Amino acid sequence: MPGLFITFEGGDGSGKSTQAELLSSWLADAGHVVVRSREPGGTELGVELREIVLHRRGHMAPRAEALIYAADRAHNIATKVRPAVERGEIVIQDRYLDSSVAYQGAGRVLDPTEVRDISLWAAEGFMPDLTILLDLDESIGRERLDESRTRYDRLESEKSDFHARVRAGYLALAEADPARFLVLPATDTVESIAAAIQSRVAILLR
Ligand code: TYD
């Protein structure tokens, strides 16, 4: 039985982590070996890179930022994700290269195609079997974060037009690759989103 690589994408406050946890429990209860990961920060090296890319003070050149995400990705895929999938395990991950295209591309400084190419090089072309995009109007995402946060990371502090471009970037990616993406409105109830995800994953497991 080959493993699976499933990623969750969406703006900040879209409920990705909640749904990733629910899917992981559902799969584990059914007897699958589930590995959780996240980007940035799915590995020990990644935790250090995450701290730098999200919380380091001062200006960071856009290409430097993109390359730190790519470095985190390269290490996460090579040492954690790919080996697990090859062992037949199911990897459930918060964010992957679509995040880089949507966020680093949304600043309008970097070309989304170049960002994608760097990520693909970093990950040796390893792509998810399924990507779940929790689509959310950026102003609702902000409200959700405001309720739960005292400290914003560098990306969360960006202005709302940036987050609107992130959302548009994600939707364009999903439209270009409908076979890989499942797009769900993040405003649906937690239960109905979880159920929709389970039906889609059940098809992959057949
Ligand atoms: P996340 O771990 O979802 O943050 P939190 O746990 O605080 O909700 O993501 C951290 C931030 O990193 C998020 O704002 C999006 C950004 N990001 C990029 O800009 N590019 C990338 O390639 C990745 C993986 C994340």
Side-chain angles (χ1 to χ4, degrees):
M1 177 91 180
L4 286 177
F5 180 33
I6 300 174
T7 57
F8 281 80
E9 297 283 358
D12 303 300
S14 60
K16 291 181 302 296
S17 309
T18 303
Q19 290 298 335
E21 282 305 317
L22 288 172
L23 177 61
S24 300
S25 312
W26 182 72
L27 288 164
D29 289 348
H32 297 280
V33 179
V34 178
V35 174
R36 288 281 281 119
S37 195
R38 60 156 23 176
E39 289 186 9
T43 61
E44 243 176 74
L45 171 64
V47 170
E48 293 183 36
L49 294 172
R50 180 182 171 94
E51 189 56 31
I52 294 171
V53 77
L54 294 183
H55 299 300
R56 192 177 180 284
R57 283 173 206 278
H59 174 69
M60 189 179 292
R63 281 166 197 257
E65 179 186 274
L67 286 167
I68 296 173
Y69 284 115
D72 167 72
R73 182 157 303 135
H75 193 69
N76 180 48
I77 291 296
T79 66
K80 185 172 178 179
V81 176
R82 194 194 282 269
V85 171
E86 285 173 359
R87 286 192 302 268
E89 299 167 8
I90 302 182
V91 180
I92 308 289
Q93 179 164 302
D94 295 27
R95 298 192 181 279
Y96 191 44
L97 46 75
D98 302 299
S99 279
S100 278
V101 178
Y103 281 78
Q104 276 63 60
R108 293 218 179 99
V109 181
L110 301 180
D111 173 1
T113 310
E114 288 180 2
V115 174
R116 181 185 162 85
D117 288 348
I118 285 167
S119 278
L120 278 175
W121 178 80
E124 296 180 83
F126 199 71
M127 288 299 286
D129 299 285
L130 173 65
T131 297
I132 295 145
L133 172 58
L134 299 176
D135 178 49
L136 184 64
D137 182 277
E138 62 287 348
S139 57
I140 302 175
R142 305 297 303 163
E143 276 169 32
R144 289 188 181 182
L145 280 185
D146 287 344
E147 286 160 15
S148 64
R149 285 300 156 82
T150 49
R151 180 172 89 140
Y152 291 115
D153 66 41
R154 292 188 328 104
L155 280 299
E156 287 165 355
S157 316
E158 288 280 354
K159 302 209 172 28
S160 75
D161 61 334
F162 174 87
H163 291 281
R165 291 201 296 278
V166 168
R167 183 191 189 194
Y170 270 136
L171 290 173
L173 285 166
E175 206 178 333
D177 195 354
R180 174 165 68 92
F181 274 90
L182 172 65
V183 184
L184 297 169
T187 43
D188 283 359
T189 63
V190 170
E191 295 75 23
S192 69
I193 294 171
I197 293 170
Q198 287 166 14
S199 335
R200 177 66 172 259
V201 172
I203 296 169
L204 285 179
L205 291 169
R206 277 212 291 258

